[in-house]
Each structure stands twice: as structure tokens, then as C-alpha cells.
Amino acid sequence: MLRADTVVVAIGARPATEWLEGSGLALGDGVECDAYCRAAPGVYAVGDAASWYHEGLGRRLRLENRTNATEQAQAVAANLLGAERPYTPTPYFWTDQYDAKLQVHGLPTPAAETHIAEGDPAQGRFVAVYRENGEVTGVLGWNMPKQARLLRQKHLVAPRNGELETTVRSAP
């Protein structure tokens, strides 16, 4: 047991979109956008408040991290300049929790089969691969960032015309 004067518990997050009520924009779990991050003609949304349709996953996503906000802004800038490319990143986040450095790529779920691909959980260093219906849906690195990135490239990123496409191959 730990004694504490104050405990802060944070579970989940809700985007602050109340100021957009009545604007005509679709608001659900954030500002609802199409695959190009377009909320309405000439209106785009990015970052924590943007919920967009991910064509590679066939579902709506909202990612809450600075990497996504930066990459999403770059995709919107390209689309504003005429690229017309859907935004299809491999979902990703990282966090440092005391002496543990975690990287999560894809969309691992509790229902997935988990396989330790490298390292040993007992040693506090490992990479786990998550599979559903025979397809890799996620990679989790625990104090093994390089190995997690390599397995992400191997399992979750598909080559396209000599370059890398940043989309998850499949997920439920």
C-alpha cells in the first residue's frame, strides 16, 4: 500500500468540441472527418479533436499523441495543395512509465493472440506481437524500442511502389 495526500486518476479523454456546437460540423468522438481529414468543404481538422475515417482499417479513429497531430497536419497540408491522399497511418503511441519505455504500434486488443517475439518479460525487456485471425494487428515493445520498430516495419507496414505505405495491413 502507498500512502498519498492526493491521488490523480485519468481514464480516457474527451475532445473539447462544445465550442463547435451549432457550427454545422458533425461532432461525435471529436470533429468527424472523412479519410482526407476534411470535416466539411474547405474545413479540415487535425490532432486530438479530429476523428477521421481510416481507409486501411475500415473504421473511424481518433489518436491522442503529438506524432499523430504532426503527421495529420502534414497530410492535410498536402491535401490542401491538391494531393488528395487519404490519411492512413499505422496507429502508434509511446510512453515512459518510470523505468519502462513502451511503444505500441497498430491496434492490439485483449482478444488477440500474443506471442513474445524477442526478449523476456521476466527480464523487463521484450517485444510482443498481437495476431487476430492470423493477421498481425499490433506490436508492443517494452524497453526494446529498436526491435519494436523493426517488427512494426516487418508486420504492419506494406511496401508500395518502392516506398513504404503507412497503413496497418488488417485489423478487426
Side-chain angles (χ1 to χ4, degrees):
M1 172 169 39
L2 294 174
R3 296 190 185 276
D5 293 330
T6 305
V7 175
V8 177
V9 177
I11 301 173
R14 282 188 229 142
T17 58
E18 296 80 23
W19 64 281
L20 291 169
E21 289 175 7
S23 69
L25 297 176
L27 304 175
D29 181 28
V31 177
E32 293 185 358
C33 301
D34 64 12
Y36 304 88
C37 301
R38 189 173 31 233
V43 178
Y44 293 78
V46 301
D48 295 7
S51 167
W52 85 100
Y53 182 78
H54 190 298
E55 287 185 351
L57 297 172
R59 63 178 270 200
R60 183 166 294 286
L61 281 183
R62 187 173 64 79
L63 301 176
E64 302 165 352
N65 62 64
R66 63 187 168 122
T67 302
N68 177 69
T70 301
E71 291 175 353
Q72 204 168 33
Q74 292 170 343
V76 166
N79 286 335
L80 284 169
L81 294 171
E84 284 300 309
R85 281 193 307 258
Y87 181 57
T88 58
T90 298
Y92 165 77
F93 79 91
W94 63 269
T95 183
D96 292 336
Q97 300 293 320
Y98 300 98
D99 62 347
K101 182 179 289 294
L102 285 79
Q103 291 81 29
V104 179
H105 305 273
L107 296 172
T109 67
E113 293 176 32
T114 306
H115 166 72
I116 303 302
E118 292 191 43
D120 181 357
Q123 300 297 316
R125 296 185 75 236
F126 66 93
V127 180
V129 174
Y130 293 78
R131 291 183 189 275
E132 292 189 52
N133 302 318
E135 295 287 331
V136 174
T137 57
V139 173
L140 170 108
W142 190 287
N143 289 327
M144 293 185 83
K146 179 181 178 184
Q147 294 85 347
R149 271 192 318 275
L150 292 172
L151 285 171
R152 170 198 182 269
Q153 286 297 120
K154 179 179 178 181
H155 293 295
L156 296 174
V157 178
R160 179 183 66 186
N161 299 332
E163 61 186 59
L164 292 178
E165 177 182 1
T166 56
T167 187
V168 174
R169 288 187 183 161
S170 67

